[in-house]
Amino acid sequence: DSGVTQTPKHLITATGQRVTLRCSPRSGDLSVYWYQQSLDQGLQFLIQYYNGEERAKGNILERFSAQQFPDLHSELNLSSLELGDSALYFCASSPTSGRANEQFFGPGTRLTVL
Amino acid sequence: TQLLEQSPQFLSIQEGENLTVYCNSSSVFSSLQWYRQEPGEGPVLLVTVVTGGEVKKLKRLTFQFGDARKDSSLHITAAQPGDTGLYLCAGSPTNDYKLSFGAGTTVTVRA
């Protein structure tokens, strides 16, 4: 158990819909990262938040957005869903000092868009 | 094009055999990490290597960071079925803060 929690575990929805994925980082970690993993693209970095502020952006679509709240949990919002958005979505958190690039991953949310 | 190239993509061996997975790049990294991921679960951090030429051992797993900090390898001795999984290398180039992942090597150890 990494200490990172994600809900829900599974999500099935239809094209055009909007969903919200939730992540709680490890106790004391200020950074939260979101990744998308699909069979053909591998693990792709989407976005990072640090203590409530956006820190880095990767290959995140405009239809996707995220935020980190004062209690440090984070939400990833996916809208106007398409079939190709079906994937595993992982959240990770990292220590605030020392080896800040070491990331601890949650169990993931499997999104299926029908 | 992946910043980190892993090889081979797939590896299937018999229990008790040895295996090596490679992670290569043309970029210099301040550190490299190795993760293992099992189906339907999140990647789990195995090790971080920081210094060029560094060798770290974790039981039957040996990790090496290249002298120029552009490549790394993972060697498993006497593999066991429990070593089965997707092995991912990851790192941040010295001129970039973001962590990039290789495409991974799927290792299957047959009993």
Side-chain angles (χ1 to χ4, degrees):
Chain A
D1 185 353
S2 67
V4 178
T5 60
Q6 288 187 250
T7 56
K9 180 79 172 167
H10 301 279
L11 200 47
I12 301 174
T13 188
T15 54
Q17 295 298 305
R18 172 190 170 95
V19 297
T20 297
L21 312 183
R22 183 187 168 103
C23 166
S24 291
R26 296 187 321 158
S27 177
D29 287 356
L30 298 182
S31 278
V32 168
Y33 309 78
W34 286 98
Y35 291 87
Q36 179 192 60
Q37 188 177 41
S38 57
L39 283 174
D40 58 343
Q41 292 285 327
L43 198 61
Q44 299 289 318
F45 168 70
L46 295 178
I47 197 165
Q48 179 203 356
Y49 278 82
Y50 178 83
N51 201 22
E53 294 194 1
E54 183 183 304
R55 183 80 178 261
K57 237 177 183 177
N59 302 320
I60 188 166
L61 300 172
E62 285 191 11
R63 300 183 286 109
F64 296 0
S65 65
Q67 54 184 327
Q68 187 179 28
F69 295 86
D71 67 352
L72 301 178
H73 90 271
S74 178
E75 293 181 356
L76 178 66
N77 300 296
L78 315 176
S79 61
S80 302
L81 285 167
E82 302 174 0
L83 296 177
D85 297 328
S86 295
L88 272 167
Y89 291 84
F90 289 104
C91 165
S93 71
S94 65
T96 57
S97 61
R99 291 177 178 168
N101 272 346
E102 292 183 338
Q103 297 184 15
F104 297 85
F105 284 77
T109 293
R110 181 175 293 279
L111 173 66
T112 303
V113 182
L114 301 175
Chain B
T1 305
Q2 294 271 1
L3 185 62
L4 287 164
E5 297 287 340
Q6 284 190 242
S7 61
Q9 188 177 358
F10 298 97
L11 198 52
S12 180
I13 60 170
Q14 200 70 30
E15 181 177 4
E17 294 181 340
N18 302 332
L19 68 96
T20 302
V21 176
Y22 299 92
C23 176
N24 295 291
S25 177
S26 57
S27 299
V28 177
F29 289 84
S30 54
S31 66
L32 270 178
Q33 299 156 27
W34 285 92
Y35 293 80
R36 184 172 76 198
Q37 184 180 18
E38 298 190 21
E41 299 182 10
V44 175
L45 179 66
L46 296 175
V47 78
T48 299
V49 285
V50 178
T51 306
E54 180 178 4
V55 176
K56 277 192 173 179
K57 291 194 174 185
L58 187 66
K59 296 183 181 177
R60 293 174 295 100
L61 278 60
T62 301
F63 304 85
Q64 186 160 7
F65 200 12
D67 290 341
R69 292 185 291 132
K70 292 183 178 182
D71 56 87
S72 181
S73 64
L74 156 60
H75 182 78
I76 301 180
T77 303
Q80 299 176 0
D83 296 324
T84 293
L86 176 67
Y87 288 82
L88 297 157
C89 67
S92 297
T94 51
N95 62 349
D96 190 350
Y97 180 79
K98 296 189 296 290
L99 192 65
S100 295
F101 281 81
T105 295
T106 299
V107 171
T108 303
V109 182
R110 304 184 305 275

